[in-house]
Amino acid sequence: MRTRDDVEAQGVQIRTRITDESLDGLGPFEELGEFSDGAVLIFQGRVRETNDGRVVTGLGYQAYGEMAEKELRTICEEAAGRFEVGAISAAHRVGELDPGEVSVVIGVAAPHRASCYEASRYVIEEIKARLPIWKRERYADGEAVWVGAPASVAAESPPGAETHEDSGEGEA
Amino acid sequence: MTERIRVRTLFFGVYGEMATSREGTTDLEGGSTVADLVATLREVRGFDWLPERVVVAVNHRYAESGTILSDGDEVALIPPVAGG
């Protein structure tokens, strides 16, 4: 599944994408912004091999498809409104990922570096705070847990519960 | 007597595993709020693992507990997010 959204807000080129395809290559992020943009930042979030000392063997990302697309676009529009930038491009991966794979990429082009850094930081922090995406970590010992799940709920999770991972389709 | 409404209820992340199915519908009295829906899910449906103050989205937007629901609304029960 791949969804793409290109909009312009306040003269800023904004491109957002929720996709089950690999984000490992920089390709689409290499040509950000116009000649007036002197600063370009590309942030990559990657799956770490360890979390709290446990070895992670894989990660499953689930998204509330339609809402995630809208929310990601809104976050980028907010950044375009708050900071002086020329272009913002953000993509989040869904589905099964291995350690080392890229889960999220945020590209920002701006006239100067100060607003570039600020916008880049803003987008990743907002993604982490409110984008309706969840991840299930799988560990070397076979256990799998939903990251951040309330302890009371996680404790009641049926043993051996099947991971019905979706690929982030909008109907989920 | 107020007309009953039917909303779509979607369960994500860990809630999706706990619920009988990840998506379904719930019938409520007309004029019900998000809080009424949560109470119905917890008490009538038996989903007592759902936090009382669960985060909810209505039609793809985060919504407060006092938000009034309409027939056909899509309501998502949202556990702590973990994107990025």
Side-chain angles (χ1 to χ4, degrees), chain A residues 70-134:
Chain A
K70 291 183 187 177
E71 199 69 12
L72 186 55
R73 182 167 72 238
T74 298
I75 289 170
C76 293
E77 289 176 353
E78 287 171 8
R82 289 168 182 237
F83 310 107
E84 194 191 352
V85 296
I88 301 179
S89 189
H92 202 299
R93 177 106 181 262
V94 292
E96 299 299 318
L97 277 69
D98 295 325
E101 288 200 85
V102 176
S103 54
V104 62
V105 190
I106 300 161
V108 179
H112 304 289
R113 67 186 181 281
S115 53
C116 200
Y117 277 107
E118 287 180 307
S120 175
R121 185 76 191 255
Y122 179 86
V123 173
I124 186 60
E125 298 300 336
E126 290 303 303
I127 282 174
K128 287 186 168 292
R130 65 199 235 216
L131 200 60
I133 289 184
W134 302 270

Side-chain angles (χ1 to χ4, degrees), chain B residues 27-74:
Chain B
D27 288 354
L28 301 162
E29 284 188 21
S32 289
T33 61
V34 163
D36 294 328
L37 169 64
V38 174
T40 299
L41 292 172
R42 296 186 78 242
E43 294 154 26
V44 178
R45 194 75 66 84
F47 292 169
D48 54 5
W49 40 265
L50 205 54
E52 279 181 30
R53 300 185 59 83
V54 59
V55 172
V56 163
V58 177
N59 300 330
H60 309 142
R61 298 168 89 111
Y62 286 110
E64 301 287 323
S65 58
T67 301
I68 296 175
L69 298 170
S70 305
D71 188 57
D73 278 348
E74 178 170 296

